[in-house]
Amino acid sequence: MTSYLSIGDFSRATHMTVKTLRHYHETGLLEPADVDPRTGYRRYSAHQIPTAQVVRRFRDLGMPLEEIRSVLTASDAAVRNQHITAHLRRLEDDLGRTRRAVAALHDLLTPPAADAPAIELRSVGAVSAAAVTATVDAQDMGAWFQGALGELFATVAAQGLSESGYAGGVYADDLFTTHRGSVTIFLPCDGLVRPVGRVEPLLVPPAELAVIEHCGPPSEVDRAYGALAAYVSRHTLAVEGPIREYYVVGRRQTPDSALWRTEICWPVFPTRVTDPGGR
């Protein structure tokens, strides 16, 4: 004869509240062994305690209820372990992002170092390039950027042209102010590219720029932007025009994002420093 525990006793045994147990019953995640049809009282078997303990630990790790259900109903150990491993990977990714955010906050609270990145004034000339232009949501920028850049490198190489400078990007103000705006990614090359797919020829216009170099992944670029904006404002140099970036070292050169180098360029009044090659 099966012995049952009341929902209160099962709550004490598993350290789950009665409210939580009722919710798990309603969602089908952890159903009582028996429900009195007359009173509606829920009763649990002692054999359900290990299952409840597994559920509680997965919830402590932030696993969604649907994923816990998939683990509990997995057809075999291999399928169950796949679900668990996938969740652990997500936890590790989240932990990595948290650690990077904490490190960035520590840096922000630390007085600027004497060897802070230098800002230079630079005049760049017009340059012929292959380009991809689109209106992009900020949240989609990472994937769109990598796709556009890969398409540019492939098209320039397929047409037998040589790269003549660093790949770059031109970003409309709307991308920053409303998180949706026009973006042009370009790759300078030594001839006129033929239009293929999204790729079009472009004459990147000349510009007068204040330039700072950001070392590291794009997720941390805001500090360089802030330093550059403060410099331009302090020296009353700003003029109307889009932000420009040049990708000196990126994923194509190394998978280690800590080694990536991006030049961030703010439009300013004319300077006397020239760079005819347009970087």
Side-chain angles (χ1 to χ4, degrees), residues 10 14 16 24 29-31 45-58 68 72:
F10 195 73
T14 61
M16 288 181 177
Y24 289 169
L29 179 64
L30 182 59
E31 298 184 0
S45 164
H47 297 299
Q48 292 181 283
I49 292 175
T51 300
Q53 291 170 336
V54 168
V55 170
R56 189 167 69 85
R57 279 161 176 76
F58 279 136
I68 297 176
L72 297 178

Side-chain angles (χ1 to χ4, degrees), residues 236-256:
T236 321
L237 290 169
V239 297
E240 292 293 328
I243 291 291
R244 189 179 295 195
E245 294 182 349
Y246 290 101
Y247 308 106
V248 181
V249 178
R251 190 184 303 274
R252 193 178 184 216
Q253 288 77 30
T254 173
D256 186 355

Side-chain angles (χ1 to χ4, degrees), residues 173-194:
D173 285 347
D174 287 351
L175 188 69
F176 302 97
T177 58
T178 68
H179 283 190
R180 178 176 173 81
S182 177
V183 180
T184 296
I185 303 299
F186 62 86
L187 179 62
C189 51
D190 63 359
L192 186 64
V193 68
R194 298 188 306 277

Side-chain angles (χ1 to χ4, degrees), residues 24-41:
Y24 289 169
H25 178 198
E26 292 167 359
T27 59
L29 179 64
L30 182 59
E31 298 184 0
D34 179 73
V35 178
D36 189 303
R38 185 173 58 85
T39 63
Y41 288 165

Side-chain angles (χ1 to χ4, degrees), residues 32-262:
D34 179 73
V35 178
D36 189 303
R38 185 173 58 85
T39 63
Y41 288 165
R42 299 168 173 88
R43 298 191 298 173
Y44 294 81
S45 164
H47 297 299
Q48 292 181 283
I49 292 175
T51 300
Q53 291 170 336
V54 168
V55 170
R56 189 167 69 85
R57 279 161 176 76
F58 279 136
R59 288 300 290 153
D60 288 344
L61 290 174
M63 182 179 282
L65 296 184
E66 282 302 316
E67 290 191 27
I68 297 176
R69 184 180 289 107
S70 297
V71 170
L72 297 178
T73 60
S75 56
D76 55 48
V79 174
R80 179 193 65 209
N81 290 340
Q82 285 176 3
H83 289 294
I84 296 173
T85 300
H87 185 67
L88 291 177
R89 287 200 188 101
R90 286 194 292 274
L91 289 176
E92 289 170 351
D93 291 342
D94 290 343
L95 181 59
R97 284 191 291 271
T98 300
R99 284 173 172 164
R100 289 192 294 271
V102 169
L105 284 172
H106 278 305
D107 287 343
L108 285 170
L109 295 172
T110 302
D115 59 349
I119 295 173
E120 66 171 283
L121 300 178
R122 182 187 302 163
S123 178
V124 299
V127 62
S128 296
V132 174
T133 299
T135 298
V136 184
D137 288 322
Q139 63 183 7
D140 299 327
M141 261 303 301
W144 183 88
F145 171 82
Q146 292 298 334
L149 203 57
E151 195 170 342
L152 289 172
F153 284 125
T155 300
V156 168
Q159 295 189 14
L161 302 175
S162 297
E163 301 168 21
S164 58
Y166 298 128
V170 178
Y171 299 90
D173 285 347
D174 287 351
L175 188 69
F176 302 97
T177 58
T178 68
H179 283 190
R180 178 176 173 81
S182 177
V183 180
T184 296
I185 303 299
F186 62 86
L187 179 62
C189 51
D190 63 359
L192 186 64
V193 68
R194 298 188 306 277
V196 176
R198 298 185 300 170
V199 178
E200 298 282 348
L202 174 70
L203 182 66
V204 182
E208 307 291 332
L209 306 167
V211 184
I212 189 172
E213 184 177 78
H214 164 65
C215 298
S219 60
E220 300 172 5
V221 76
D222 59 320
R223 294 192 66 191
Y225 265 83
L228 186 60
Y231 174 90
V232 170
S233 174
R234 188 165 61 249
H235 292 83
T236 321
L237 290 169
V239 297
E240 292 293 328
I243 291 291
R244 189 179 295 195
E245 294 182 349
Y246 290 101
Y247 308 106
V248 181
V249 178
R251 190 184 303 274
R252 193 178 184 216
Q253 288 77 30
T254 173
D256 186 355
S257 63
L259 301 178
W260 294 355
R261 292 165 50 213
T262 302

